[in-house]
mmCIF file of all heavy atoms in Angstrom:
data_model
loop_
_atom_site.group_PDB
_atom_site.id
_atom_site.type_symbol
_atom_site.label_atom_id
_atom_site.label_comp_id
_atom_site.label_asym_id
_atom_site.label_seq_id
_atom_site.Cartn_x
_atom_site.Cartn_y
_atom_site.Cartn_z
ATOM 1 N N PHE A 19 106.888 85.649 121.323
ATOM 2 C CA PHE A 19 106.016 86.316 122.281
ATOM 3 C C PHE A 19 105.444 85.357 123.303
ATOM 4 O O PHE A 19 104.858 85.746 124.313
ATOM 5 C CB PHE A 19 104.854 87.006 121.556
ATOM 6 C CG PHE A 19 105.281 87.978 120.502
ATOM 7 C CD1 PHE A 19 105.164 87.676 119.166
ATOM 8 C CD2 PHE A 19 105.834 89.199 120.855
ATOM 9 C CE1 PHE A 19 105.563 88.565 118.194
ATOM 10 C CE2 PHE A 19 106.236 90.089 119.905
ATOM 11 C CZ PHE A 19 106.122 89.775 118.562
ATOM 12 N N GLY A 20 105.563 84.039 123.045
ATOM 13 C CA GLY A 20 104.916 83.061 123.914
ATOM 14 C C GLY A 20 103.425 83.038 123.723
ATOM 15 O O GLY A 20 102.671 82.543 124.572
ATOM 16 N N ALA A 21 102.946 83.567 122.606
ATOM 17 C CA ALA A 21 101.530 83.612 122.292
ATOM 18 C C ALA A 21 101.364 83.462 120.787
ATOM 19 O O ALA A 21 102.212 83.945 120.031
ATOM 20 C CB ALA A 21 100.907 84.927 122.762
ATOM 21 N N ALA A 22 100.308 82.806 120.363
ATOM 22 C CA ALA A 22 100.082 82.535 118.958
ATOM 23 C C ALA A 22 99.249 83.633 118.293
ATOM 24 O O ALA A 22 98.322 84.165 118.896
ATOM 25 C CB ALA A 22 99.391 81.195 118.783
ATOM 26 N N LEU A 23 99.594 83.936 117.040
ATOM 27 C CA LEU A 23 98.788 84.817 116.198
ATOM 28 C C LEU A 23 98.190 84.007 115.056
ATOM 29 O O LEU A 23 98.695 82.939 114.687
ATOM 30 C CB LEU A 23 99.645 85.927 115.624
ATOM 31 C CG LEU A 23 100.225 86.956 116.614
ATOM 32 C CD1 LEU A 23 101.224 87.871 115.915
ATOM 33 C CD2 LEU A 23 99.100 87.800 117.217
ATOM 34 N N THR A 24 97.129 84.503 114.461
ATOM 35 C CA THR A 24 96.507 83.857 113.309
ATOM 36 C C THR A 24 97.038 84.493 112.027
ATOM 37 O O THR A 24 97.633 85.596 112.070
ATOM 38 C CB THR A 24 94.983 84.036 113.346
ATOM 39 O OG1 THR A 24 94.680 85.435 113.176
ATOM 40 C CG2 THR A 24 94.407 83.538 114.659
ATOM 41 N N PRO A 25 96.838 83.847 110.877
ATOM 42 C CA PRO A 25 97.214 84.496 109.606
ATOM 43 C C PRO A 25 96.556 85.868 109.441
ATOM 44 O O PRO A 25 97.221 86.819 109.003
ATOM 45 C CB PRO A 25 96.699 83.506 108.532
ATOM 46 C CG PRO A 25 96.786 82.175 109.227
ATOM 47 C CD PRO A 25 96.397 82.450 110.653
ATOM 48 N N VAL A 26 95.301 85.985 109.807
ATOM 49 C CA VAL A 26 94.613 87.273 109.667
ATOM 50 C C VAL A 26 95.262 88.336 110.540
ATOM 51 O O VAL A 26 95.436 89.492 110.113
ATOM 52 C CB VAL A 26 93.104 87.121 110.009
ATOM 53 C CG1 VAL A 26 92.443 88.487 110.243
ATOM 54 C CG2 VAL A 26 92.392 86.362 108.905
ATOM 55 N N GLN A 27 95.661 87.989 111.744
ATOM 56 C CA GLN A 27 96.315 88.968 112.626
ATOM 57 C C GLN A 27 97.698 89.371 112.097
ATOM 58 O O GLN A 27 98.058 90.545 112.132
ATOM 59 C CB GLN A 27 96.432 88.380 114.034
ATOM 60 C CG GLN A 27 95.097 88.288 114.766
ATOM 61 C CD GLN A 27 95.168 87.420 115.998
ATOM 62 O OE1 GLN A 27 95.985 86.530 116.128
ATOM 63 N NE2 GLN A 27 94.257 87.682 116.951
ATOM 64 N N CYS A 28 98.438 88.418 111.571
ATOM 65 C CA CYS A 28 99.748 88.743 110.986
ATOM 66 C C CYS A 28 99.583 89.652 109.781
ATOM 67 O O CYS A 28 100.361 90.595 109.582
ATOM 68 C CB CYS A 28 100.463 87.451 110.560
ATOM 69 S SG CYS A 28 101.007 86.403 111.920
ATOM 70 N N ILE A 29 98.602 89.354 108.946
ATOM 71 C CA ILE A 29 98.323 90.182 107.781
ATOM 72 C C ILE A 29 97.963 91.595 108.187
ATOM 73 O O ILE A 29 98.440 92.586 107.618
ATOM 74 C CB ILE A 29 97.233 89.533 106.918
ATOM 75 C CG1 ILE A 29 97.752 88.273 106.228
ATOM 76 C CG2 ILE A 29 96.681 90.520 105.879
ATOM 77 C CD1 ILE A 29 96.687 87.412 105.594
ATOM 78 N N HIS A 30 97.103 91.704 109.185
ATOM 79 C CA HIS A 30 96.691 93.034 109.636
ATOM 80 C C HIS A 30 97.875 93.829 110.179
ATOM 81 O O HIS A 30 97.980 95.035 109.934
ATOM 82 C CB HIS A 30 95.588 92.919 110.700
ATOM 83 C CG HIS A 30 94.873 94.202 110.959
ATOM 84 N ND1 HIS A 30 94.323 94.986 109.967
ATOM 85 C CD2 HIS A 30 94.633 94.883 112.134
ATOM 86 C CE1 HIS A 30 93.780 96.061 110.495
ATOM 87 N NE2 HIS A 30 93.939 96.009 111.800
ATOM 88 N N TYR A 31 98.746 93.161 110.903
ATOM 89 C CA TYR A 31 99.936 93.854 111.418
ATOM 90 C C TYR A 31 100.739 94.434 110.257
ATOM 91 O O TYR A 31 101.123 95.604 110.252
ATOM 92 C CB TYR A 31 100.809 92.897 112.244
ATOM 93 C CG TYR A 31 102.046 93.599 112.772
ATOM 94 C CD1 TYR A 31 101.998 94.272 113.989
ATOM 95 C CD2 TYR A 31 103.227 93.630 112.042
ATOM 96 C CE1 TYR A 31 103.114 94.965 114.463
ATOM 97 C CE2 TYR A 31 104.334 94.313 112.509
ATOM 98 C CZ TYR A 31 104.271 94.963 113.726
ATOM 99 O OH TYR A 31 105.376 95.649 114.178
ATOM 100 N N ALA A 32 101.026 93.594 109.241
ATOM 101 C CA ALA A 32 101.824 94.058 108.114
ATOM 102 C C ALA A 32 101.153 95.206 107.379
ATOM 103 O O ALA A 32 101.792 96.219 107.009
ATOM 104 C CB ALA A 32 102.091 92.908 107.149
ATOM 105 N N LEU A 33 99.846 95.101 107.164
ATOM 106 C CA LEU A 33 99.137 96.100 106.374
ATOM 107 C C LEU A 33 98.903 97.405 107.121
ATOM 108 O O LEU A 33 98.529 98.399 106.515
ATOM 109 C CB LEU A 33 97.808 95.529 105.887
ATOM 110 C CG LEU A 33 97.885 94.429 104.819
ATOM 111 C CD1 LEU A 33 96.504 93.879 104.499
ATOM 112 C CD2 LEU A 33 98.583 94.919 103.554
ATOM 113 N N THR A 34 99.169 97.425 108.408
ATOM 114 C CA THR A 34 99.058 98.677 109.169
ATOM 115 C C THR A 34 100.396 99.370 109.324
ATOM 116 O O THR A 34 100.473 100.425 109.947
ATOM 117 C CB THR A 34 98.417 98.453 110.545
ATOM 118 O OG1 THR A 34 99.080 97.366 111.218
ATOM 119 C CG2 THR A 34 96.937 98.130 110.423
ATOM 120 N N ARG A 35 101.469 98.816 108.720
ATOM 121 C CA ARG A 35 102.740 99.542 108.711
ATOM 122 C C ARG A 35 102.689 100.610 107.640
ATOM 123 O O ARG A 35 102.229 100.366 106.518
ATOM 124 C CB ARG A 35 103.934 98.631 108.388
ATOM 125 C CG ARG A 35 104.190 97.435 109.332
ATOM 126 C CD ARG A 35 104.225 97.803 110.786
ATOM 127 N NE ARG A 35 102.887 97.671 111.362
ATOM 128 C CZ ARG A 35 102.507 98.196 112.511
ATOM 129 N NH1 ARG A 35 103.337 98.939 113.220
ATOM 130 N NH2 ARG A 35 101.293 98.010 112.967
ATOM 131 N N PRO A 36 103.202 101.824 107.919
ATOM 132 C CA PRO A 36 103.241 102.865 106.879
ATOM 133 C C PRO A 36 104.037 102.364 105.660
ATOM 134 O O PRO A 36 105.046 101.701 105.784
ATOM 135 C CB PRO A 36 103.986 104.003 107.578
ATOM 136 C CG PRO A 36 103.741 103.792 109.040
ATOM 137 C CD PRO A 36 103.714 102.303 109.226
ATOM 138 N N GLY A 37 103.526 102.708 104.488
ATOM 139 C CA GLY A 37 104.227 102.384 103.248
ATOM 140 C C GLY A 37 103.893 101.040 102.675
ATOM 141 O O GLY A 37 104.191 100.778 101.495
ATOM 142 N N VAL A 38 103.285 100.148 103.438
ATOM 143 C CA VAL A 38 103.035 98.790 102.960
ATOM 144 C C VAL A 38 101.833 98.773 102.023
ATOM 145 O O VAL A 38 100.768 99.311 102.347
ATOM 146 C CB VAL A 38 102.810 97.816 104.133
ATOM 147 C CG1 VAL A 38 102.226 96.484 103.651
ATOM 148 C CG2 VAL A 38 104.134 97.566 104.868
ATOM 149 N N ALA A 39 102.022 98.137 100.873
ATOM 150 C CA ALA A 39 100.951 98.016 99.885
ATOM 151 C C ALA A 39 100.348 96.627 99.844
ATOM 152 O O ALA A 39 99.137 96.469 99.647
ATOM 153 C CB ALA A 39 101.481 98.387 98.480
ATOM 154 N N SER A 40 101.176 95.593 100.025
ATOM 155 C CA SER A 40 100.684 94.203 99.878
ATOM 156 C C SER A 40 101.548 93.249 100.679
ATOM 157 O O SER A 40 102.756 93.432 100.762
ATOM 158 C CB SER A 40 100.707 93.806 98.384
ATOM 159 O OG SER A 40 100.230 92.487 98.201
ATOM 160 N N ILE A 41 100.906 92.262 101.253
ATOM 161 C CA ILE A 41 101.647 91.183 101.915
ATOM 162 C C ILE A 41 101.580 89.961 101.030
ATOM 163 O O ILE A 41 100.494 89.504 100.643
ATOM 164 C CB ILE A 41 101.117 90.870 103.337
ATOM 165 C CG1 ILE A 41 101.830 89.644 103.927
ATOM 166 C CG2 ILE A 41 99.609 90.729 103.369
ATOM 167 C CD1 ILE A 41 101.553 89.422 105.398
ATOM 168 N N LEU A 42 102.737 89.435 100.661
ATOM 169 C CA LEU A 42 102.830 88.308 99.741
ATOM 170 C C LEU A 42 103.004 87.038 100.566
ATOM 171 O O LEU A 42 104.122 86.673 100.962
ATOM 172 C CB LEU A 42 104.015 88.501 98.788
ATOM 173 C CG LEU A 42 104.052 89.859 98.069
ATOM 174 C CD1 LEU A 42 105.230 89.923 97.102
ATOM 175 C CD2 LEU A 42 102.748 90.132 97.336
ATOM 176 N N ALA A 43 101.911 86.379 100.830
ATOM 177 C CA ALA A 43 101.931 85.188 101.663
ATOM 178 C C ALA A 43 102.236 83.965 100.811
ATOM 179 O O ALA A 43 102.006 83.942 99.612
ATOM 180 C CB ALA A 43 100.596 85.035 102.365
ATOM 181 N N GLY A 44 102.746 82.922 101.488
ATOM 182 C CA GLY A 44 103.011 81.669 100.807
ATOM 183 C C GLY A 44 101.858 80.707 100.955
ATOM 184 O O GLY A 44 101.227 80.626 102.030
ATOM 185 N N TYR A 45 101.529 79.965 99.874
ATOM 186 C CA TYR A 45 100.403 79.061 99.896
ATOM 187 C C TYR A 45 100.812 77.703 99.321
ATOM 188 O O TYR A 45 101.353 77.622 98.229
ATOM 189 C CB TYR A 45 99.242 79.601 99.045
ATOM 190 C CG TYR A 45 98.906 81.056 99.282
ATOM 191 C CD1 TYR A 45 99.026 81.988 98.238
ATOM 192 C CD2 TYR A 45 98.494 81.523 100.514
ATOM 193 C CE1 TYR A 45 98.710 83.325 98.428
ATOM 194 C CE2 TYR A 45 98.185 82.855 100.730
ATOM 195 C CZ TYR A 45 98.305 83.768 99.668
ATOM 196 O OH TYR A 45 98.001 85.079 99.887
ATOM 197 N N ASP A 46 100.523 76.653 100.057
ATOM 198 C CA ASP A 46 100.697 75.288 99.547
ATOM 199 C C ASP A 46 99.439 74.796 98.833
ATOM 200 O O ASP A 46 99.525 73.976 97.917
ATOM 201 C CB ASP A 46 100.995 74.330 100.701
ATOM 202 C CG ASP A 46 102.477 74.218 100.997
ATOM 203 O OD1 ASP A 46 103.262 74.113 100.043
ATOM 204 O OD2 ASP A 46 102.839 74.258 102.174
ATOM 205 N N THR A 47 98.290 75.291 99.265
ATOM 206 C CA THR A 47 97.020 74.780 98.790
ATOM 207 C C THR A 47 96.014 75.920 98.649
ATOM 208 O O THR A 47 96.196 77.002 99.247
ATOM 209 C CB THR A 47 96.407 73.752 99.769
ATOM 210 O OG1 THR A 47 96.104 74.441 100.996
ATOM 211 C CG2 THR A 47 97.386 72.617 100.071
ATOM 212 N N PRO A 48 94.916 75.701 97.911
ATOM 213 C CA PRO A 48 93.858 76.727 97.878
ATOM 214 C C PRO A 48 93.317 77.052 99.271
ATOM 215 O O PRO A 48 92.896 78.180 99.513
ATOM 216 C CB PRO A 48 92.798 76.062 97.003
ATOM 217 C CG PRO A 48 93.565 75.173 96.071
ATOM 218 C CD PRO A 48 94.677 74.627 96.937
ATOM 219 N N GLU A 49 93.361 76.085 100.180
ATOM 220 C CA GLU A 49 92.877 76.357 101.543
ATOM 221 C C GLU A 49 93.735 77.407 102.221
ATOM 222 O O GLU A 49 93.229 78.224 103.007
ATOM 223 C CB GLU A 49 92.877 75.058 102.365
ATOM 224 C CG GLU A 49 91.752 74.094 102.015
ATOM 225 C CD GLU A 49 91.838 73.529 100.588
ATOM 226 O OE1 GLU A 49 92.985 73.275 100.125
ATOM 227 O OE2 GLU A 49 90.791 73.379 99.935
ATOM 228 N N HIS A 50 95.042 77.403 101.952
ATOM 229 C CA HIS A 50 95.923 78.431 102.501
ATOM 230 C C HIS A 50 95.574 79.799 101.934
ATOM 231 O O HIS A 50 95.643 80.822 102.636
ATOM 232 C CB HIS A 50 97.387 78.117 102.189
ATOM 233 C CG HIS A 50 97.956 77.006 103.005
ATOM 234 N ND1 HIS A 50 99.090 76.320 102.643
ATOM 235 C CD2 HIS A 50 97.555 76.463 104.185
ATOM 236 C CE1 HIS A 50 99.355 75.388 103.555
ATOM 237 N NE2 HIS A 50 98.431 75.459 104.495
ATOM 238 N N VAL A 51 95.218 79.838 100.657
ATOM 239 C CA VAL A 51 94.799 81.093 100.039
ATOM 240 C C VAL A 51 93.549 81.613 100.755
ATOM 241 O O VAL A 51 93.463 82.797 101.112
ATOM 242 C CB VAL A 51 94.490 80.908 98.551
ATOM 243 C CG1 VAL A 51 94.017 82.219 97.913
ATOM 244 C CG2 VAL A 51 95.717 80.376 97.784
ATOM 245 N N LYS A 52 92.597 80.733 100.969
ATOM 246 C CA LYS A 52 91.337 81.144 101.616
ATOM 247 C C LYS A 52 91.582 81.641 103.040
ATOM 248 O O LYS A 52 90.896 82.561 103.510
ATOM 249 C CB LYS A 52 90.368 79.979 101.613
ATOM 250 C CG LYS A 52 89.901 79.587 100.208
ATOM 251 C CD LYS A 52 89.097 78.287 100.190
ATOM 252 C CE LYS A 52 88.766 77.840 98.789
ATOM 253 N NZ LYS A 52 88.074 76.541 98.761
ATOM 254 N N ALA A 53 92.560 81.042 103.743
ATOM 255 C CA ALA A 53 92.873 81.494 105.110
ATOM 256 C C ALA A 53 93.412 82.908 105.094
ATOM 257 O O ALA A 53 93.187 83.662 106.047
ATOM 258 C CB ALA A 53 93.874 80.532 105.753
ATOM 259 N N ALA A 54 94.149 83.264 104.044
ATOM 260 C CA ALA A 54 94.695 84.627 103.940
ATOM 261 C C ALA A 54 93.622 85.617 103.504
ATOM 262 O O ALA A 54 93.469 86.690 104.120
ATOM 263 C CB ALA A 54 95.866 84.639 102.966
ATOM 264 N N VAL A 55 92.866 85.285 102.467
ATOM 265 C CA VAL A 55 91.871 86.255 101.974
ATOM 266 C C VAL A 55 90.700 86.379 102.920
ATOM 267 O O VAL A 55 89.873 87.309 102.778
ATOM 268 C CB VAL A 55 91.394 85.903 100.550
ATOM 269 C CG1 VAL A 55 92.561 85.936 99.569
ATOM 270 C CG2 VAL A 55 90.696 84.570 100.518
ATOM 271 N N ALA A 56 90.616 85.514 103.909
ATOM 272 C CA ALA A 56 89.619 85.704 104.975
ATOM 273 C C ALA A 56 89.786 87.047 105.649
ATOM 274 O O ALA A 56 88.850 87.576 106.264
ATOM 275 C CB ALA A 56 89.709 84.569 105.993
ATOM 276 N N TYR A 57 90.999 87.597 105.511
ATOM 277 C CA TYR A 57 91.248 88.942 106.082
ATOM 278 C C TYR A 57 90.274 89.956 105.528
ATOM 279 O O TYR A 57 89.846 90.892 106.244
ATOM 280 C CB TYR A 57 92.668 89.363 105.741
ATOM 281 C CG TYR A 57 93.000 90.773 106.174
ATOM 282 C CD1 TYR A 57 93.322 91.049 107.485
ATOM 283 C CD2 TYR A 57 92.963 91.824 105.255
ATOM 284 C CE1 TYR A 57 93.598 92.351 107.899
ATOM 285 C CE2 TYR A 57 93.252 93.128 105.643
ATOM 286 C CZ TYR A 57 93.551 93.377 106.963
ATOM 287 O OH TYR A 57 93.819 94.660 107.367
ATOM 288 N N GLU A 58 89.902 89.831 104.271
ATOM 289 C CA GLU A 58 89.061 90.829 103.610
ATOM 290 C C GLU A 58 87.689 90.940 104.218
ATOM 291 O O GLU A 58 87.031 91.964 104.083
ATOM 292 C CB GLU A 58 88.984 90.532 102.119
ATOM 293 C CG GLU A 58 90.320 90.604 101.385
ATOM 294 C CD GLU A 58 90.969 91.967 101.471
ATOM 295 O OE1 GLU A 58 90.294 92.965 101.142
ATOM 296 O OE2 GLU A 58 92.138 92.067 101.857
ATOM 297 N N THR A 59 87.235 89.903 104.854
ATOM 298 C CA THR A 59 85.903 89.932 105.489
ATOM 299 C C THR A 59 85.983 89.738 107.000
ATOM 300 O O THR A 59 84.953 89.549 107.662
ATOM 301 C CB THR A 59 85.010 88.831 104.873
ATOM 302 O OG1 THR A 59 85.676 87.562 104.989
ATOM 303 C CG2 THR A 59 84.713 89.108 103.408
#
């Protein structure tokens, strides 16, 4: 797109598709986990 998205924006895109229950993200560190679950708040 020539534009950057954040993990939270990518997660929101996936979770707004019909039929989607969960997005299984990859994590190297606990900090990566926290960046993803930041979506919840």
Side-chain angles (χ1 to χ4, degrees):
F19 304 106
L23 294 171
T24 66
V26 165
Q27 289 166 334
C28 291
I29 289 168
H30 194 53
Y31 180 87
L33 291 176
T34 50
R35 300 310 91 197
V38 167
S40 180
I41 174 170
L42 309 182
Y45 314 119
D46 271 315
T47 65
E49 286 65 37
H50 286 161
V51 179
K52 294 171 186 176
V55 298
Y57 175 79
E58 297 299 308
T59 55

